[in-house]
Amino acid sequence: MLEKIIRLLIIFISFAFINKSFAADQGEIVPQKLRVEYLKNPVIDEMLPRLSWVLTSNENDQAQTAYQIGVASSIQKLNGNKFDVWNTGKVLSNQNIQIYYKGKKLKSRGVYYWKVKVWDKNGIPGPWSKSAFWTMGLLSKSEWKAEWIGLDLYNQNREPQLILPPAPYLRKSFTLNKAIKVAQVYVTALGLYELYINGQRIGKDYFTPGWTDYNKRVYYQVYDVKSYLTKGTNVVGAVLSYGWYAGYVGPGLFVGLRKVRAFYGKIPKLKVQIEITFTDGSKKIIISDRTWKGSDGPLRESDIQMGDTYDARLELIGWDKPGYDDSSWRKVEVFPDNPKRKIEVYPGVPVRINREITPVSISSLPGGKYIFNMGQNFAGVVRLKVKGKRGQKIVIRYGEMLHKDGTLMTENLRKARATDTYILKGDPNGETWVPNFTYHGFQYVEVTGLSEKPTDSTITGLQIGSRMSTTGEFETSDPEVNRLYQNIVWTQLSNMLEVPTDCPQRDERLGYSGDAQIFIGSAVMNLNVAAFFKKWLVDLNDDQNKNGLYPDYAPAPLSWGDRYPYHPGWMEGGIIIPFTLYQTYGDIKNLEKFYPQMKKLIDYGYKKTKGKCYYDEGEWAEYGKGHLGLGDWLSIGPTTADDIIASIYLGYSIKLMKEISEVLGYKGDVKYYSNLFRKFQFGFIHHYINAGGKVVINEHKYDFYPKYKKAEGISGDTQTTYANLIYMGLLPDSLEKKAAKHLVELINKNKGKLTTGFLGVKQLLPALSETGHDDLAEKIFLNKEYPGWLYEVENGATSIWEHWDSYSKKAGFASSEMNSFDHYVFGSVCEWMFHNLAGIQNNGVAYDSILLNPYIDNHFSCVKAAYESVHGEILSYWKKDGDKIIYQTKIPVGVKARIFIPSQKDKLPEVNGQSLSKYKSMKLIGYKDGKWIVETPSGNYTFSSLIDSQPLKKGIKRKNR
Ligand code: BGC
């Protein structure tokens, strides 16, 4: 009997236990991915950093109703819930991003541990998150005891045409007598550095400390170096390179500028400070100063554009370890600091080697040359593995394409030598080399000088770029469209290397503001670019002209003589990009910080238009004064008048400023910019738009233009004009309809093909979709003939090209001088692919409210897009299954969605295998254009519905255009 009772008791207890854990699992929403200023456990120097987390739940219809953040000065305190730095207590709020720290004043070098817990929609608290931390850098310049040191090697080793001095090696040895508790190194350079302690490289970052306007600021990195140091003798060493500070930057050589390199200084300099705390509490600091010694070494040439040359025979064996005889080394020079230059913690994402690529084929050419085909165009370098005789010279050249005869095509690199050279020391076990301070854009590698037949491990591709997490996924039933998407992502990876570059291969590689503003809406879908652009926006604002114009590229060391480096469509990047970051990440800080500078841009336009807020013909484009626009760069067909472009971009910027001032609560400015926008609309419409809604200009006012600009006529009635007016929401509804009609007419007249250049390409398809022409948008998108996205794919592209016909199998190369095969601008169609084709749309701020409304037709049998928003993953995935459509969706915790489910009208779709009416949380809105519309809170929902005809998605205007 007793036994029976015990058994029953056990069953009862275990049932209760199972039930309890089941209940706990169900009710929980768990904060994950704790981030500070978008970064995981970072070093920062912001006094009011922003915290964020992402919520996950096993349950549908979940939301956060309150949170508690705890911050402690040690992990022990955090674990014991002793929040001695900040305890928010329970805060009733659904906010999980952009939460400003408001605890005790943060201290230099402080390490802060934090965690968070949240209450769900029923007010039930979940568990504490895993702990995270952040570390503060040196908060005042006076805490830097280290000096700038360097070695002048400028006149050594001159090439006939190029100035390529060798890289300085610097070292210092020091002794530590006690056991170490903590050791941090603070390190930076004017130029580029690699830091070594006791023979080991510190950190995995490349191109440190990053590119800034070095006259205004320089960033530093912080690394934990405790494990690298020992009791006894230690050595710290650094290799410096010229980088953006002292090396070749931009196309100066090519266009014949007077200054082509050394824009900020001639000699690279190092500043390093190692701070050690011993277990007994005492401290020691090792700094860069006049006690260091320097020498040239094996790195004979080192330049981002030109390449590295390494003579392994000259290796300074053991130079970065104790016991090395540096008696022949010179004393370093100490350089004064520029007191105006700020020194700050690097706020972006580090540049790293992100993936390795194995060649897909190797072919041989006369003269002992081998061509390695990497199968993919990308930015980076290669790892060379080689065996041979001492003094044997291996020359590695890079190219994006091959000529017909199989030789490397390098004409499009212009003056970028893009050549790395390795001279063997003759190690019988073989030698491995990776160039440190250069990168190239390439798919093909030409290697000369090998004495043995190469294998696929002779050359390994190393893809380099700013390391960002992937946020987008896009796949369809059409392999060519999938390839296009991959090409877009690869091109983004190639060009987000420290700054958003135009291209990674030729002598340009500048952070073009136009290219970046065009691509930003696509960039945010593919990778988490929040911290990357936060950093670059500082560069852009640092180099804003005094008169308010943002430069064509930033940092902006080059000056073009008489040419005017400010252009409509480029300079507005200073407003469009921070606004897009706000829409995507809810980031108000950029808007606040740069607001006064954004205002200056509008002030410039206001003044130049004499208060009209639009430009009459010729008013922007004052030829002779150098104000000629870049216009709709690389468009096909008639040139869109520069004054139309300038006006549209001014009008759009004013409109965005109105929205930005609203976000920031600057009421007076909301009124001011609303008023300016009305002026723009009124003036622009009256001057340029006729009764039929057509944009007309007085072409003769451009008679003064050079021939190349007028070759195909100058017009206002272009695809680019209408696409922009619609996309930017610059017209009242009645005129917008007419604009759409003209746009469609122009496209039809052009046999269904696009004519847009840089400034119309991203707008074209969204403008069509929004005005009810998804079908035409898709037709243009899928066009396989010139000019079109799939034309490139058909011609073998593995990345996005600068021109629609950069290359074709039939006609060969379009041009040699300006022909990049890795240029992301035309990839800005990605925006449309996510928002319209797959139908994931932001309907609030930072995707806190979304629309899921895919375009479904006969071309595809499935389209799948996923987007990792700051609230979590969003999925829109439909596929055909006989006469059924299966539509799978995911909505993050706390996010509201309006879902458009293609379906017959007389039969409601099923949700997760049940009748829709059973889902109480799901609100049926109605039936429109072949789709049932429901509103739903978070969760995973799979809809299944019957369709009879092909439903077309009707135009839906995006919020906050
Ligand atoms: C770049 C472009 C850029 C343009 C503007 C070109 O050389 O590669 O992408 O926007 O110049 O001047």
Side-chain angles (χ1 to χ4, degrees):
M1 181 64 187
L2 187 69
E3 203 188 313
K4 209 174 171 187
I5 292 172
I6 292 173
R7 215 183 293 154
L8 270 173
L9 211 63
I10 291 174
I11 291 172
F12 176 73
I13 291 171
S14 51
F15 183 71
F17 180 74
I18 291 168
N19 226 1
K20 189 168 177 283
S21 60
F22 184 60
D25 251 19
Q26 285 230 328
E28 275 172 10
I29 45 174
V30 189
Q32 286 170 339
K33 298 191 180 165
L34 273 62
R35 298 286 182 267
V36 178
E37 288 295 323
Y38 300 112
L39 305 169
K40 189 176 169 186
N41 301 336
V43 181
I44 56 166
D45 54 10
E46 264 137 313
M47 297 305 283
L48 302 175
R50 292 164 296 171
L51 313 182
S52 72
W53 56 88
V54 178
L55 296 165
T56 54
S57 170
N58 299 329
E59 224 183 35
N60 287 350
D61 187 9
Q62 255 309 355
Q64 169 189 310
T65 52
Y67 68 79
Q68 179 179 6
I69 298 170
V71 184
S73 57
S74 74
I75 189 72
Q76 291 78 9
K77 283 186 183 148
L78 190 84
N79 290 342
N81 293 345
K82 297 209 165 49
F83 306 129
D84 57 335
V85 181
W86 193 35
N87 184 357
T88 61
K90 182 176 173 182
V91 181
L92 295 178
S93 163
N94 61 1
Q95 200 181 343
N96 62 317
I97 56 167
Q98 309 287 350
I99 297 175
Y100 279 87
Y101 168 81
K102 286 193 193 116
K104 281 190 187 154
K105 193 168 177 205
L106 300 171
K107 291 189 193 131
S108 261
R109 306 173 182 82
V111 186
Y112 298 93
Y113 299 87
W114 71 291
K115 58 185 181 181
V116 59
K117 80 171 175 185
V118 302
W119 281 256
D120 73 5
K121 68 161 188 186
N122 301 314
I124 299 170
W128 283 105
S129 69
K130 286 193 186 139
S131 58
F133 63 93
W134 77 87
T135 308
M136 298 304 285
L138 303 177
L139 298 181
S140 101
K141 206 175 178 184
S142 64
E143 292 180 86
W144 278 92
K145 305 297 171 214
E147 296 187 272
W148 289 112
I149 58 169
L151 199 65
D152 184 354
L153 304 175
Y154 205 74
N155 290 318
Q156 265 196 40
N157 188 38
R158 285 213 167 199
E159 273 244 334
Q161 272 96 36
L162 298 171
I163 301 173
L164 291 170
Y169 286 65
L170 309 177
R171 79 186 297 272
K172 176 184 171 78
S173 71
F174 56 96
T175 322
L176 302 175
N177 296 324
K178 294 185 258 182
I180 301 159
K181 189 174 162 210
V182 195
Q184 305 267 50
V185 65
Y186 302 85
V187 54
T188 183
L190 294 168
L192 303 174
Y193 76 84
E194 274 191 0
L195 189 74
Y196 294 83
I197 292 180
N198 296 330
Q200 289 188 68
R201 184 166 173 222
I202 305 303
K204 295 179 189 149
D205 307 335
Y206 283 81
F207 298 96
T208 46
W211 188 5
T212 46
D213 180 339
Y214 300 107
N215 300 318
K216 298 202 168 112
R217 73 184 77 232
V218 64
Y219 293 128
Y220 63 92
Q221 280 73 33
V222 185
Y223 301 101
D224 178 352
V225 289
K226 183 185 164 194
S227 62
Y228 296 82
L229 294 167
T230 62
K231 219 167 145 182
T233 313
N234 292 272
V235 167
V236 54
V239 189
L240 297 182
S241 181
Y242 298 82
W244 298 287
Y245 177 81
Y248 288 94
V249 173
L253 271 178
F254 177 67
V255 296
L257 295 186
R258 214 164 30 86
K259 199 165 177 67
V260 292
R261 56 168 292 141
F263 287 100
Y264 304 93
K266 266 186 173 179
I267 305 163
K269 298 156 189 105
L270 174 77
K271 199 190 255 280
V272 54
Q273 180 158 321
I274 307 176
E275 296 190 357
I276 304 147
T277 307
F278 298 104
T279 45
D280 66 1
S282 61
K283 289 181 191 237
K284 184 162 183 160
I285 168 170
I286 309 294
I287 55 168
S288 49
D289 60 14
R290 61 186 68 256
T291 63
W292 285 54
K293 291 181 106 180
S295 166
D296 59 342
L299 193 50
R300 303 312 300 161
E301 298 174 338
S302 179
D303 184 85
I304 294 177
Q305 286 194 7
M306 305 304 162
D308 282 1
T309 295
Y310 189 89
D311 188 341
R313 293 171 304 180
L314 304 178
E315 269 174 2
L316 309 161
I317 295 157
W319 71 279
D320 51 355
K321 289 184 188 161
Y324 179 80
D325 176 10
D326 63 10
S327 53
S328 63
W329 285 39
R330 282 156 56 189
K331 276 202 158 164
V332 295
E333 240 180 277
V334 172
F335 297 87
D337 186 38
N338 169 355
K340 283 199 207 128
R341 183 193 298 122
K342 292 186 183 138
I343 178 160
E344 295 170 337
V345 174
Y346 186 73
V349 282
V351 175
R352 295 261 174 91
I353 293 177
N354 299 310
R355 34 183 88 61
E356 299 203 350
I357 299 166
T358 309
V360 291
S361 66
I362 307 169
S363 53
S364 64
L365 290 173
K369 284 188 170 76
Y370 290 95
I371 298 280
F372 294 74
N373 177 359
M374 308 309 291
Q376 174 63 50
N377 196 4
F378 67 100
V381 286
V382 295
R383 184 196 305 123
L384 171 73
K385 261 192 177 168
V386 69
K387 216 186 264 181
K389 281 205 283 309
R390 188 173 173 81
Q392 190 176 322
K393 188 171 167 184
I394 311 284
V395 179
I396 310 168
R397 300 200 308 141
Y398 300 81
E400 297 183 289
M401 300 291 280
L402 296 181
H403 287 296
K404 276 209 176 98
D405 61 1
T407 57
L408 200 67
M409 200 280 267
T410 56
E411 293 86 317
N412 68 335
L413 306 182
R414 302 194 309 214
K415 295 287 180 185
R417 189 184 64 176
T419 303
D420 295 320
T421 306
Y422 182 77
I423 300 164
L424 277 77
K425 58 188 165 196
D427 189 331
N429 297 318
E431 299 169 40
T432 302
W433 179 61
V434 176
N436 319 42
F437 297 113
T438 182
Y439 76 92
H440 316 286
F442 63 102
Q443 175 173 343
Y444 298 93
V445 185
E446 180 205 86
V447 182
T448 315
L450 295 171
S451 50
E452 289 179 354
K453 197 165 182 267
T455 67
D456 64 5
S457 64
T458 305
I459 288 290
T460 305
L462 306 174
Q463 183 262 323
I464 300 183
S466 295
R467 196 180 200 119
M468 293 179 259
S469 60
T470 301
T471 50
E473 195 189 318
F474 194 95
E475 215 183 338
T476 71
S477 50
D478 183 336
E480 288 200 331
V481 170
N482 299 346
R483 182 69 239 188
L484 172 70
Y485 179 67
Q486 293 310 322
N487 293 358
I488 294 169
V489 175
W490 273 104
T491 308
Q492 180 170 353
L493 293 172
S494 301
N495 285 296
M496 298 211 163
L497 196 159
E498 182 56 22
V499 299
T501 56
D502 53 337
C503 52
Q505 73 298 83
R506 68 172 175 234
D507 54 355
E508 195 128 4
R509 312 182 194 191
L510 297 169
Y512 273 101
S513 47
D515 303 40
Q517 75 82 2
I518 295 157
F519 193 67
I520 187 72
S522 296
V524 294
M525 300 313 294
N526 301 325
L527 304 176
N528 187 333
V529 298
F532 175 83
F533 274 101
K534 174 185 152 190
K535 181 259 165 195
W536 182 73
L537 282 176
V538 176
D539 302 334
L540 187 64
N541 279 277
D542 271 355
D543 284 351
Q544 186 186 33
N545 194 296
K546 276 191 219 80
N547 63 10
L549 298 178
Y550 283 108
D552 281 356
Y553 44 82
L558 283 78
S559 112
W560 297 95
D562 303 341
R563 273 183 55 195
Y564 201 66
Y566 309 95
H567 292 102
W570 274 251
M571 59 198 188
E572 293 82 1
I575 294 177
I576 297 168
I577 294 169
F579 185 70
T580 310
L581 298 180
Y582 161 70
Q583 287 180 305
T584 314
Y585 305 112
D587 195 322
I588 292 178
K589 204 169 177 177
N590 292 318
L591 300 179
E592 254 170 1
K593 189 166 164 189
F594 304 121
Y595 189 77
Q597 287 182 251
M598 296 181 196
K599 263 181 101 111
K600 281 170 85 181
L601 178 68
I602 307 291
D603 292 349
Y604 179 92
Y606 183 80
K607 245 187 159 163
K608 193 167 163 70
T609 60
K610 301 184 191 74
K612 301 197 306 296
C613 297
Y614 78 94
Y615 296 95
D616 284 339
E617 292 94 330
E619 225 174 347
W620 169 268
E622 298 166 69
Y623 189 56
K625 292 191 188 157
H627 286 212
L628 202 65
L630 284 168
D632 184 19
W633 188 245
L634 305 188
S635 64
I636 311 160
T639 300
T640 306
D642 285 313
D643 296 289
I644 296 272
I645 302 254
S647 299
I648 284 175
Y649 271 88
L650 176 59
Y652 186 41
S653 308
I654 292 172
K655 185 173 175 241
L656 294 185
M657 283 304 276
K658 186 200 131 228
E659 292 187 32
I660 292 168
S661 51
E662 231 159 46
V663 171
L664 298 177
Y666 301 157
K667 285 195 187 128
D669 281 5
V670 177
K671 247 188 169 170
Y672 174 71
Y673 289 116
S674 307
N675 189 25
L676 291 200
F677 185 63
R678 270 194 298 273
K679 275 189 168 187
F680 157 77
Q681 265 196 330
F682 180 84
F684 184 84
I685 291 169
H686 279 80
H687 187 81
Y688 283 119
I689 303 187
N690 73 14
K694 192 167 170 171
V695 178
V696 221
I697 60 158
N698 182 351
E699 222 180 300
H700 293 300
K701 295 227 168 145
Y702 295 100
D703 285 347
F704 66 89
Y705 260 30
K707 259 199 198 135
Y708 80 93
K709 283 279 255 186
K710 308 189 280 197
E712 300 198 48
I714 295 179
S715 174
D717 181 39
T718 64
Q719 291 184 18
T720 289
T721 303
Y722 298 117
N724 275 285
L725 289 169
I726 296 167
Y727 178 96
M728 295 171 176
L730 299 182
L731 300 174
D733 283 354
S734 59
L735 272 182
E736 185 172 285
K737 269 199 198 106
K738 290 182 184 167
K741 192 184 108 223
H742 290 296
L743 177 60
V744 171
E745 269 170 25
L746 283 174
I747 295 166
N748 288 337
K749 230 169 52 198
N750 199 41
K751 301 197 183 92
K753 289 182 184 164
L754 57 80
T755 58
T756 49
F758 272 32
L759 295 186
V761 65
K762 85 162 162 186
Q763 293 87 349
L764 184 64
L765 304 194
L768 287 168
S769 283
E770 277 171 34
T771 50
H773 303 287
D774 275 312
D775 47 349
L776 187 53
E778 194 194 64
K779 186 176 163 194
I780 298 173
F781 177 65
L782 294 174
N783 166 34
K784 294 184 183 182
E785 289 169 15
Y786 167 84
W789 290 276
L790 297 189
Y791 183 67
E792 295 185 359
V793 173
E794 292 253 314
N795 281 289
T798 63
S799 47
I800 301 293
W801 299 345
E802 186 172 21
H803 305 267
W804 298 111
D805 59 348
S806 281
Y807 170 80
S808 81
K809 286 175 184 161
K810 239 184 174 170
F813 298 112
S815 105
S816 58
E817 289 193 339
M818 216 192 76
N819 198 6
S820 153
F821 289 86
D822 216 351
H823 231 81
Y824 55 49
V825 171
F826 287 169
S828 57
V829 69
C830 189
E831 215 179 296
W832 178 85
M833 291 163 72
F834 274 95
H835 299 326
N836 298 91
L837 186 56
I840 298 178
Q841 292 196 14
N842 183 4
N843 197 33
V845 177
Y847 290 82
D848 60 356
S849 162
I850 58 173
L851 303 179
L852 295 180
N853 187 9
Y855 173 64
I856 297 174
D857 84 332
N858 274 333
H859 178 79
F860 297 99
S861 60
C862 74
V863 172
K864 177 183 182 185
Y867 173 61
E868 185 72 37
S869 76
V870 284
H871 295 290
E873 196 194 3
I874 298 168
L875 174 73
S876 170
Y877 174 20
W878 68 265
K879 58 179 178 225
K880 284 185 186 151
D881 180 11
D883 52 357
K884 269 193 188 157
I885 289 268
I886 310 293
Y887 186 33
Q888 210 178 318
T889 62
K890 246 188 212 174
I891 299 126
V893 172
V895 170
K896 274 190 243 87
R898 187 173 263 236
I899 309 180
F900 297 70
I901 313 145
S903 168
Q904 289 177 354
K905 192 174 181 183
D906 47 10
K907 196 159 185 298
L908 275 183
E910 282 189 349
V911 192
N912 298 343
Q914 294 192 52
S915 139
L916 201 146
S917 52
K918 285 214 175 126
Y919 272 80
K920 287 204 191 79
S921 58
M922 212 170 265
K923 203 166 124 200
L924 199 59
I925 303 294
Y927 188 85
K928 207 173 169 234
D929 303 328
K931 291 171 179 178
W932 276 108
I933 305 167
V934 296
E935 245 172 36
T936 173
S938 74
N940 299 344
Y941 305 103
T942 301
F943 301 92
S944 153
S945 54
L946 285 170
I947 49 163
D948 40 19
S949 60
Q950 290 314 319
L952 292 187
K953 178 178 144 186
K954 288 282 182 287
I956 290 197
K957 284 190 190 167
R958 277 165 309 120
K959 243 193 119 195
N960 290 336
R961 290 178 299 177

